Each structure stands twice: as C-alpha cells, then as structure tokens.
Amino acid sequence: MPAEGGKTDMERIGLFSEMEYVTVGDKYVTPFNRPFNEAASKNKQMLPGGSKEMSDLQAGYFDPHFVRIFEGESYVSLNQVRRRHMMEEAKKNLGKAFLPSNGDKKPSGLGSYYGTIGGPIPFFSAQSKPREKYEAPGKNLYTNPGKKGTGYGYANVTIGKQFSHSADFYDAPKLNYKKEIEEHRRLLKGTPFKLNLYPSEYFDTNPYLSGKTLPPVKKVEKKELRGSPFKPSSPGKKAGGMKAGTFEPYPSHSADPYMVKLASQAISKGAKIFHPPGGPKSRPVQSIMTLNVKRALNVKNYKTASVQSY
C-alpha cells in the first residue's frame, strides 16, 4: 500500500512489475523421495547409435563425406623452392666467390721451406756470424807463491793452523775395562749365592752314590718267644637279641634327624685345612739324544767322526 503522500513499494524498488512466486500452491516433497536427476526421467532423451568401428567406409567418421586438406592447390616442387632461395641469396653477393690461385703445397722434408708463405728465415740460417778476434785475458794477481806438498806429512801447508799433538793410547779401552773389573772384584764379599734346591739336568750313573761315609751296620736283635699263644677260656659268644656276644653294652639311643651336612659344617672351627706341599717345579731340559750327540761330537773330532746311530 502506498504511504500517505509517498511512493508505492514498486516505484521504490524500481521494477516494472512484481516478481512471480514459483512455489505457491506446490505440494511438499521430502528430499528422500526426490529423484537425483528429475529431468532425465521426463520426455525423450539423446539415444546414441552405438560405437562405430574404424573402416574404409564413411560410416566410421563424423563428416558425411571425406574432406581433403590440400583440395584445389597446385603441386609444388621442393627442389624448385630451394633453387629460388639460392638465387635470391646470390644476388646479395657484391663480387665473385674467392678461389685460391693454387692448391696446397706439401713440404719435401725437414728443414725445407717449400710450401710456406714467408719462405726461409735468415735468423735460423746455419751460417756463422762474424765475430771479433779473441784476446786472452791477463793473468791473476799473485800475492805469494803456492806452497809445495800434498798436505800429508808436511807441516804448515794447509790454510789453517797445524793441530797440536795429543797422546792416544792404543789399548786405552782395554785398560779401562780391566780397571773396572778389578774394582768390581774388590767390592765383592764371599762367593756367589747358589740355590741347593735347583734340580739337576740328568741322573748320575749311580743314583744311590753318595760322597758321605756310611754309618756302622746295626745288629738286629732277635726277640725270644715267651710261652704259647693266648687262648680264651671259652669260645666266642654269638650275637643274639640281647647283644650278649659283644664286649661292651649296647649304646643308648640318640636322636639324629636325617639331614645332609654341608662341607662347612663338617669341618670344625679348630681344625686346619690340609694343603699339600708344592712339588718340584719343571724346567726346560735337553733330550738324551741331543746330549749324547754333543758328547760324541766336539771341536777336535767333528771332521773325522763318522755317522753313528744312537
């Protein structure tokens, strides 16, 4: 409705007519029953005629007749096009093409200038250059004539001063070593220490041989038998239920539970553990065969001794 003394709503919006209402009077349709593509189920749809196979017929193409690409054009020769291009490029040349006057020349050998542009060079010629006459230089200035002698056995011949003589004994190291040994023996006290427990290498011929004198032979005293052997007055008694055949009465009962005694419990506190004494220690020894060979062969008979089997 137009307001008092104003414009209507249509004039205020600026439209020629009021917009239509599309959904007025339509029934409500739930989205669950509404089809996805409603236009696809109404009226006729596009029906393809099926896939066409490639063949020489025109049915396999979209166009109704075969279309040529260069239809109505004349034949062009590529050689003719190249020649025209070469003729146009040749017109741009100002003169004729450069042609060498002669072919390349090959040298005839080493040291020959045949075929070169400049020819022989005078700086590398084999001719000798003119030189001035040689004049020998003068002699050196001598302040004192040279001394004769080679230096070995001649005094005051070398540049420096003569060395002074110093005595040098021939056997000085030997005499010094002898003095050190004498001083060492003077400081020694007694014989060198020898261990009696050191084992010998081999047994002697008689292991029972000893350098000590034997003690006097002891006389064995014969004991006289005194009377006949002891015989009991009555035979031995047999063991019975009352233990009448034993020497002592039957011992009283003592409670002893069945338990395995440990090794630490079996040894009393006061008793000491037995440790065996250490035996003789081994040392490297030579074999009997090597010892016999060394005894049989020595410095005096190694040339004349024959091979023997040991």
Side-chain angles (χ1 to χ4, degrees):
M1 296 295 292
E4 296 179 359
K7 297 182 179 179
T8 60
D9 295 337
M10 296 303 299
E11 293 177 352
R12 194 181 300 110
I13 295 174
L15 299 177
F16 294 100
S17 61
E18 189 177 358
M19 298 295 295
E20 296 180 355
Y21 300 95
V22 181
T23 57
V24 174
D26 295 345
K27 294 181 179 181
Y28 175 75
V29 180
T30 61
F32 300 100
N33 298 331
R34 187 179 303 171
F36 175 72
N37 190 2
E38 188 177 359
S41 61
K42 296 179 180 180
N43 300 328
K44 292 183 178 182
Q45 306 297 327
M46 181 179 67
L47 299 176
S51 60
K52 298 181 181 180
E53 296 180 358
M54 195 72 175
S55 63
D56 294 337
L57 301 176
Q58 195 64 27
Y61 300 94
F62 293 99
D63 297 332
H65 60 278
F66 183 75
V67 180
R68 297 181 179 276
I69 301 175
F70 299 103
E71 188 174 359
E73 294 184 1
S74 60
Y75 175 74
V76 178
S77 177
L78 295 178
N79 293 334
Q80 188 176 4
V81 174
R82 293 193 193 97
R83 289 171 183 172
R84 289 177 182 175
H85 178 70
M86 292 173 62
M87 291 173 64
E88 292 177 359
E89 293 293 331
K91 293 179 180 179
K92 298 179 182 180
N93 296 333
L94 300 177
K96 295 182 179 180
F98 171 76
L99 297 175
S101 60
N102 200 354
D104 299 336
K105 296 179 181 180
K106 296 182 180 180
S108 58
L110 296 175
S112 175
Y113 295 94
Y114 180 77
T116 58
I117 299 175
I121 301 173
F123 299 99
F124 294 98
S125 63
Q127 297 179 1
S128 59
K129 297 180 179 179
R131 296 181 180 179
E132 298 179 357
K133 188 178 180 181
Y134 175 75
E135 294 181 1
K139 293 183 178 181
N140 294 330
L141 180 65
Y142 292 101
T143 57
N144 195 11
K147 298 178 181 180
K148 296 181 180 181
T150 59
Y152 297 98
Y154 294 89
N156 300 326
V157 178
T158 57
I159 299 174
K161 294 182 180 181
Q162 190 70 17
F163 293 100
S164 60
H165 174 70
S166 59
D168 186 12
F169 296 100
Y170 179 75
D171 293 335
K174 188 175 181 180
L175 296 174
N176 295 335
Y177 179 69
K178 188 176 181 180
K179 290 179 181 179
E180 291 177 1
I181 292 177
E182 291 177 355
E183 182 66 19
H184 174 69
R185 289 179 179 177
R186 188 182 63 81
L187 298 174
L188 293 177
K189 295 180 180 180
T191 58
F193 175 75
K194 294 181 181 180
L195 184 63
N196 297 331
L197 300 177
Y198 189 77
S200 59
E201 189 173 4
Y202 296 103
F203 289 106
D204 297 333
T205 55
N206 185 6
Y208 301 101
L209 182 63
S210 177
K212 298 180 181 180
T213 57
L214 297 176
V217 181
K218 294 182 179 180
K219 295 181 180 181
V220 180
E221 297 180 358
K222 295 183 180 180
K223 295 181 180 181
E224 297 179 359
L225 298 177
R226 297 178 181 180
S228 60
F230 170 75
K231 292 182 180 181
S233 59
S234 62
K237 299 178 182 180
K238 295 181 180 180
M242 59 180 178
K243 306 296 180 182
T246 59
F247 291 97
E248 297 178 357
Y250 185 75
S252 61
H253 175 71
S254 61
D256 187 10
Y258 179 74
M259 291 178 65
V260 180
K261 294 183 179 181
L262 301 177
S264 60
Q265 298 177 0
I267 302 172
S268 61
K269 295 182 179 178
K272 295 182 179 180
I273 302 173
F274 172 73
H275 295 282
K281 298 180 180 179
S282 61
R283 59 184 294 273
V285 295
Q286 296 180 353
S287 64
I288 298 174
M289 186 173 183
T290 306
L291 186 64
N292 292 333
V293 170
K294 287 185 177 180
R295 288 178 181 176
L297 296 176
N298 49 43
V299 180
K300 296 180 179 180
N301 66 347
Y302 76 95
K303 291 185 178 180
T304 58
S306 60
V307 180
Q308 298 179 2
S309 60
Y310 296 97

